[in-house]
Amino acid sequence: MVDNINNKQDLESPIIEAEDVTVRFPLIDTPDVYAVKNFNISVKPGEFVGLMGEPGCGKSTAAMSLLGLVRPPGIFESGSVKYMGKDLLQMEDEEVRSIRGKDIGMITQNPRYSLHPMLRVGDQISNVFRAHNKVSSKEAWSHAVDMLKLVGINDPERRVKAYAHELSSGMAQRVLIAMALSSSPKLLLADEPTSGLDVTIQAQFLDQMWDACRQTKSAVLLVTQDLGIVANYCDRVLIMYEGQIVEDSDVFTFFKSPKHDYSKRILQLQREAQEAGDAVATNIDQKSDPLMKVNSLIKEFPIRGSKSRVHAVDNATFELRSGECLGLVGESGSGKTTIGRCVLRLEQPTSGEIIFRDERLDTLSIKDFQEKRSNLQIVFQDPLDSLNPRWTVEQVLKEPLDLHTKMTEQEKMSRISELLNLVGLEASMRQALPREMSAGRQQRTSIARAIASNPDFIVLDEPTSALTPETTAEIIRLLMDLSTSLGISYLFISHDLTTIKYICHRVVVLYLGQIVEVGTKEQVFNDPKHPYSRALLAAHLFPDTSDRRVDRDVRESLEGEIPSPVTENLPKGCYLYGRCSHQLDQCRDMKQKLTKMEDGRFVGCWRVSEGAL
Amino acid sequence: MVRRFIIKRLLIALLQLIGISIVVFFMIRLLPADPVARLVGFNASEEAVQQATESLGLHYSSGQQLLNYVGVFSVTGEPGIINGYLGKSWVTSEPILHEVTRFLPITLEMITYALILAFIIALPLGMSSATRPGGAADKFTFVWGLFAGSQPEFWWGILFVFIFFFALQQAGLPHAPAPLGRIDPLLDVPNSITGFILIDSLLRGRLDIFINAAHHLMLPVLTLVFVVSGPIVKMIRQNMIRVIRSDYILYARSAGLPPRKIALYALRAAMAPAMTLTAIIYGFLLGGAVPVELIYSIGGIGEYSIRSIISFDYPAIQGTVLVIAMVSLIIYLALDIVHAMLDPRITF
């Protein structure tokens, strides 16, 4: 193990200490896999430790091994896992069992799959509590209610009776936390606990864990791939590579001078993307005629067998200039994907105008619109899903050329070579099938297909959310290069503010289908005005240790969860009413209008436009 | 919610039954069969044929026959199925309902015991072969499934008769009774209460009959268990393997739940699909247990339906089909309700 810092903590003996742990997965027909090999770790009380690494490096198996558990059919080959000096791997079953869930709590990546689908969550929490505490089932049940209240679930008396499938993933995650914390463990293992959660929920949850860690002197081992989480919460960072810990440094040292090649690489990529982002020319002429105008776009989806409707997009108005990258940000259910689809007529808008180069797109017949498609393209979130699994890269790239150009076969072939070159794919990839390529290469193929017909405008629908942080940085670079060299405008849809910050010129912030703020990147990121933008920015974790969320005096956050956008659920006045920390009574019944501010941005909050905020 | 679901399902079942009876009614009449000739013989006189045709009501048009059968606008004035009257057997002249209620419980009793037993055996077997794939229980199940499933049940039935009755008797050992019915010919079947002989004999306090009947039921039930357990065990094993590797079982272990609780968690999740399979087999066996019934001379509904078909006894065929369909539908409904109680993800 590498040298470790923090003298104060060195005085205390570790809660958990693993030495030389090796986990083998016996496989039939193929050589056995060693998910974890000679793994060493030690965590002290009150520490918040981050465990990072590429997918498949053994992080999850390593975390699980600290409970003396492996996922079947894995087996412990060697090593020891000492909890308070006693080896879990040598203990009697009953003794280990009394430690699991009581002294060491676990939170897993897929909360809904970790809950039994046929038992009420209250029963599951009670069962865990009763496994470690001598209480009646009635006491355990009321303890379960208390725990749900503690982790911030509204209406715990009702939720305690819910089943896993009735909960949102955010709520299921909290149930798991309630279960993990029910016996006040001294060590909490959290395996990518926030993947799939929205940023504001993620912040609520990590804040809670941080507070618990500091107040009760319990320790947290957080498995993650997110540099932002590490930078903002962790005291110490462990890097795992091919089943081993290869780097162990405190968080500030890690970001300043990473040691291992993998750490250097991810931080370097991050830095490059950031620098490129800072260099993005923000002087897009906002006076010039817009390339695309969206006026009062509304999209509602009927619900089968019910009179109510889902309000996906509510009166959205914005413009996009030539060569501009406009970011569309918001949490799940904010309507950003629906806007992207309406703009391309993949969904027919309920009402509103979509104007591209002074021509109404929304009223064109499907046949006439078909001709426009070569000019308006899209790249989807999941690269594998959006490529035909039976087509080679060449076939994928040839399709748009067949459809939209009158090239000869030979011209098409040379155009394909050109495209491969543009997106940085090796010529040898030409005959590859999608599943034979890495996710990054798949997404490059998707991008190449989108630019094949020389479009002026591309909708990028979360193009990087299915990718590792490393690949994300590469794809962002590629998209930026293409935008400058080919003059393409982007509508960039993402819930990830970090990528938006790198690539976009202007940003549209969405909440519950409504636009709440539109402004330049600087305006929105450096000085957000709308209470929702503020909370979103404050909750977002940038990979930067100079302004850690845990060090801030006030952690701006939102209460509760985003309501579902169904007719009768929608708030009467301001959609943020009930969650906003700046709300007044008037907000409840007052509809908000997007108003232009002095500095040119638009904000949909009456208190902001009156200068009160 | 549940009540509305049940009412809805019963109404649908009613429509299904009406559909089935109409389809069966016409399909039988499409057969190139001559029930009259069957009744009076091929050399019967013109008048005899005429008389027989009229007594069977076959001189009416098909549409009119259907109305007579259903019991609306009936020309004969007799009640029809809407009055709960299934007609009279052309062979025995007994009301079909009487015959069906006599024969149906015999089959129901046999297959109910067989399936309960099969499920009881399959559950631990499936679980232990799932927890230790490749272990003794798993290998045994595999060989058994392969063996039992690959041979038809009448073959197993004959083999069992040979081994447990004939061979054991020859060897002078305790042996199964002769395959000649469900009770010793010297004893009387107790008056029906439920129609299930084991239950009736207990209710009437006749322990001797109970033991005798159980003895007679042993081999047929064993034959069925032997044949149908294979797929049930496999189903439970597959489910169990999936459940054991699931995230929620891993999480239950990581939360330190006691082994007994974890087993219950796993069982709960693995059982529901196996129950569906069991009910499907049950529905199938209602009419499909005929070979076993015949070998052991049980005299159940399967045997009765075969007899009706061979003798072109139209009302009897229609009646049996209708009653078997009804029982199947009720069983499926009951199962859906139980399934929904086990698994909250299923909504009505």
Side-chain angles (χ1 to χ4, degrees), chain A residues 64 67 69 71 97 100-101 106 110 113-119 124 127-128 131-132 163 165 176 179, chain B residues 244-251 253-259 261 265-266 268-269 272 342-345:
Chain A
M64 193 59 91
L67 283 162
L69 270 180
R71 182 182 280 278
R97 191 187 70 69
R100 290 179 195 149
M106 174 97 190
N110 295 317
Y113 293 112
S114 294
L115 292 171
H116 196 289
M118 305 180 192
L119 294 172
Q124 297 187 55
N127 283 342
V128 171
H132 303 292
Y163 294 97
H165 68 280
L176 227 55
M179 215 182 291
Chain B
I244 287 173
R245 298 191 173 193
S246 70
D247 283 2
Y248 53 88
I249 292 299
L250 192 65
Y251 190 80
R253 293 179 65 200
S254 76
L257 286 185
K261 205 98 211 175
Y265 271 35
R268 169 128 200 190
L342 276 176
D343 190 342
R345 285 169 297 183

